[in-house]
Amino acid sequence: MSLWLDAASAAATLNVVLLVALVGIWARNYLEFRSKHPLGLLVFGLLLLAENCLSVYYYVIDPEVANLLRSAAPVAGRAMTFVQILELAAILFLAWVTWD
């Protein structure tokens, strides 16, 4: 696997770990406060978690798609890596705001 796809795999895996923790916090906050704000964060977190679980599946568990990107569309593979790293930065910021 190429360095780009290794970075995408690592970023997607970190995203899943952080999102599981954040979704737990947002679910607890929603159950406690019953307001729209934590509900919105919870739904957003669940959808982003689903997207990142799918990415981890494609990169790590069934790397056929990752191999296709590496061989047939290397620019797309690099673009997907960049998106995963941007998502990681955004999730890290959300984690900092949530845990502060």
Side-chain angles (χ1 to χ4, degrees):
M1 197 180 280
S2 73
L3 179 64
W4 288 104
L5 294 176
D6 287 342
S9 300
T13 303
L14 285 171
N15 288 346
V16 167
V17 170
L18 288 168
L19 284 166
V20 166
L22 287 170
V23 162
I25 291 169
W26 294 332
R28 188 185 67 220
N29 287 347
Y30 175 69
L31 291 174
E32 183 177 341
F33 300 112
R34 300 284 181 187
S35 71
K36 288 182 184 178
H37 187 261
L39 178 61
L41 289 170
L42 176 61
V43 170
F44 170 77
L46 287 170
L47 293 172
L48 198 57
L49 179 60
E51 183 264 333
N52 278 281
C53 285
L54 186 62
S55 294
V56 168
Y57 175 78
Y58 282 137
Y59 291 133
V60 179
I61 298 169
D62 184 13
E64 187 175 324
V65 173
N67 291 332
L68 177 67
L69 284 173
R70 185 184 71 226
S71 62
V75 173
R78 278 180 257 153
M80 288 176 64
T81 299
F82 186 65
V83 168
Q84 289 295 331
I85 292 170
L86 285 176
E87 280 184 18
L88 178 59
I91 293 167
L92 284 169
F93 183 76
L94 276 173
W96 176 71
V97 168
T98 300
W99 287 315
D100 188 32

